[in-house]
DNA sequence: TTCTATGCCTCGTCACGCGAGGTATAATCG
DNA sequence: CGATTATACCTCGCGTGACGAGGCATAGAA
């Protein structure tokens, strides 16, 4: 029942969300907007991806919800747990290994 | 019925297989081995991934099978079609955009 | 009042990655 | 000779995750 690796599948949403939350706590809507800006439009998580992902990560103990009322609206801020930090490191390492692998393949003209 | 993009999901297997076949025609087993070596063990396509992927790509007209008998064993070499080349370009561009996006997120300490 | 932005949510689909298993031949090694 | 290893193909079934489309509610602007 340990954390299951995304094997080859990207698992990008989980990775980037964890990364953002490692910086500071944020709420869903904010995460989506920030992601768009930082990635310069190349990464956009639809809400149909984002919210289910957040719930799943919460259920796995990777983040802790911090609901707040702000100007009549409910925001659910999320904090990374210790587990979440560990997960982030792991996923980051995986991503780097695998994207490096892909880069090597893509840059292959048979040299090296 | 045009080619469906892997949205955010990696679609790495399809991408790397197309890339290898762009270089020269190869058969399944060879692809698996080559991939391992070139990516330095970081990318390994199990046969449960590779063969279904090859069949799917063939069905979509991205590659053309070239069966041959070699030393009593059957090898199915695959050639990239024109469609396959176009698909490769597209996927490559997508991959680069998105991995750049991820890299930007990962490298975020709030600067830039 | 109607529209836009904020802010949350769920449901159903679909494709895909993957492990486990299966077949068959050729070569190698005891 | 028999067993094991490498080659070479394949399928089935599972799980999960990405996604679009939709829905609810409030605040403020037009």
């Amino acid at each position: 029942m340990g954390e299951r690796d995304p094997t080859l599948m990207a698992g990008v949403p989980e990775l980037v969300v964890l990364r953002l939350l490692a910086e500071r706590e944020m709420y869903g809507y904010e995460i989506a907007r920030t992601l768009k800006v930082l990635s310069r439009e190349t990464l956009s998580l639809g809400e149909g991806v984002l919210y289910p992902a957040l719930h799943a990560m919460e259920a796995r103990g990777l983040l802790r919800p911090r609901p707040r009322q702000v100007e009549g609206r409910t925001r659910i801020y999320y904090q990374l747990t210790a587990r979440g930090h560990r997960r982030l490191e792991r996923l980051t390492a995986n991503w780097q290994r695998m994207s490096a692998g892909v880069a090597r393949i893509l840059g292959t003209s048979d040299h090296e």
Side-chain angles (χ1 to χ4, degrees), chain A residues 25-85:
Chain A
E25 61 173 34
M26 298 174 73
Y27 57 98
Y29 208 77
E30 190 186 7
I31 293 175
R33 270 189 289 113
T34 308
L35 223 37
K36 253 195 184 171
V37 175
L38 284 189
S39 74
R40 291 173 204 172
E41 243 61 21
T42 68
L43 257 42
S44 71
L45 291 203
E47 307 194 340
V49 175
L50 183 58
Y51 289 113
L54 287 173
H55 297 325
M57 294 163 85
E58 179 188 340
R60 291 166 112 201
L62 305 179
L63 15 116
R64 194 182 308 112
R66 294 292 188 183
R68 270 181 234 165
Q69 295 297 327
V70 179
E71 295 164 19
R73 293 192 204 89
T74 299
R75 289 180 181 171
I76 306 184
Y77 285 81
Y78 288 96
Q79 264 180 4
L80 232 64
T81 63
R83 233 175 136 77
H85 274 102

